[in-house]
Amino acid sequence: VQLQACGGGLVEPGGCLRLSCASSGSIFSIGDMAWYRQAPGKERELVASINTGGRTKYADSVKGRFTISRDSAKNTVYLQMNSLKSEDTAIYYCAASRRNSATMPEVDYWGQGTLVTVSS
């Protein structure tokens, strides 16, 4: 399975961005898909996850601002990020699991990161 993420960039505080992650290869094996992020000097953290049935889970820090969605026909997962804050600045990584729980108990596949910078 290959995951290709895109959509990062520079945005002002309060702005929005939409990340996309397209999957290819043995996609039949994919259950949960998720976005992680890693800020400078911090550990990588789970931002949001979604299973094949559309069940989602969010980190407390992004609830109400970020929305994860999935288009099975396009084998793509999205992360709509609204009301961005400076603390959202990080490299965002797409990930997938063979498990289908929406909680990402383990990551089986990683995509490359895409940088999101929130700054005025």
Side-chain angles (χ1 to χ4, degrees), residues 9-81:
L10 173 64
V11 63
E12 293 185 350
C16 59
L17 278 176
R18 187 193 198 202
L19 306 182
S20 300
C21 176
S23 56
S24 60
S26 301
I27 58 175
F28 61 87
S29 67
I30 294 176
D32 291 352
M33 294 194 75
W35 290 95
Y36 286 74
R37 68 184 180 187
Q38 187 167 20
K42 295 187 177 181
E43 294 187 355
R44 191 173 297 189
E45 63 173 348
L46 176 63
V47 176
S49 57
I50 185 169
N51 71 357
T52 57
R55 180 183 172 190
T56 59
K57 177 184 176 183
Y58 295 93
D60 288 342
S61 59
V62 306
K63 283 181 180 176
R65 301 189 297 121
F66 290 12
T67 302
I68 189 170
S69 61
R70 183 170 185 164
D71 186 333
S72 297
K74 296 182 179 180
N75 303 315
T76 301
V77 65
Y78 304 96
L79 185 68
Q80 178 66 44
M81 304 184 292

